[in-house]
Amino acid sequence: QLQASGGGLVQAGGSLKLSCAASGRTFSRYALAWFRQAPGKVREFVSAIMRSGGVTYYADSVKGRFTISRDNAKNTVYLQMNSLRAEDTAVYYCAGDARGRHSYTSSYVYWGQGTQVTVSS
């Protein structure tokens, strides 16, 4: 199971840090990722981190503003979001255990319940 938290309401230019805690399995063996879904839009890739934490990927829209990290001892993945924009408003989902391309929703076996991020302009 994956449990996401840390969402909230923030003004444009502000920061939030999302957390996703894994239980029941040793997710240190798996790639972990964040996706987001805005109202009326498809779920889109935000960022992924490979099991060692040494390799990360970002969507172009968040590159330079968001940072993904993981603490394998705590089975937790984080998403530090800085310089937030109104277009970052979405429900953010964490996902684990990619069986295919890291940026595809269909690649992931496990999903968290989502946490709402709202950025006011």
Side-chain angles (χ1 to χ4, degrees):
Q1 289 183 336
L2 297 174
Q3 183 74 30
S5 62
L9 173 64
V10 63
Q11 288 187 334
S15 299
L16 279 175
K17 186 174 184 178
L18 305 183
S19 300
C20 179
S23 61
R25 293 180 182 272
T26 305
F27 279 87
S28 60
R29 296 181 293 179
Y30 306 133
L32 298 165
W34 289 94
F35 288 77
R36 66 187 182 186
Q37 187 167 17
K41 295 188 177 181
V42 298
R43 192 170 298 187
E44 65 174 5
F45 170 75
V46 175
S47 184
I49 186 166
M50 298 303 104
R51 58 183 182 179
S52 68
V55 178
T56 58
Y57 300 93
Y58 296 94
D60 288 342
S61 59
V62 307
K63 202 170 294 183
R65 299 188 297 122
F66 290 10
T67 302
I68 192 170
S69 61
R70 66 190 295 164
D71 185 337
N72 287 338
K74 296 182 179 179
N75 276 0
T76 301
V77 60
Y78 305 97
L79 185 68
Q80 176 67 47
M81 305 186 295
N82 299 328
S83 302
L84 283 161
R85 305 167 180 168
E87 52 264 38
D88 295 319
T89 296
V91 177
Y92 283 70
Y93 297 90
C94 56
D97 193 8
R99 302 295 176 91
R101 190 172 178 84
H102 63 267
S103 59
Y104 291 176
T105 57
S106 58
S107 296
Y108 290 85
V109 177
Y110 304 106
W111 288 88
Q113 85 290 1
T115 184
Q116 176 70 47
V117 172
T118 303
V119 184
S120 62
S121 56

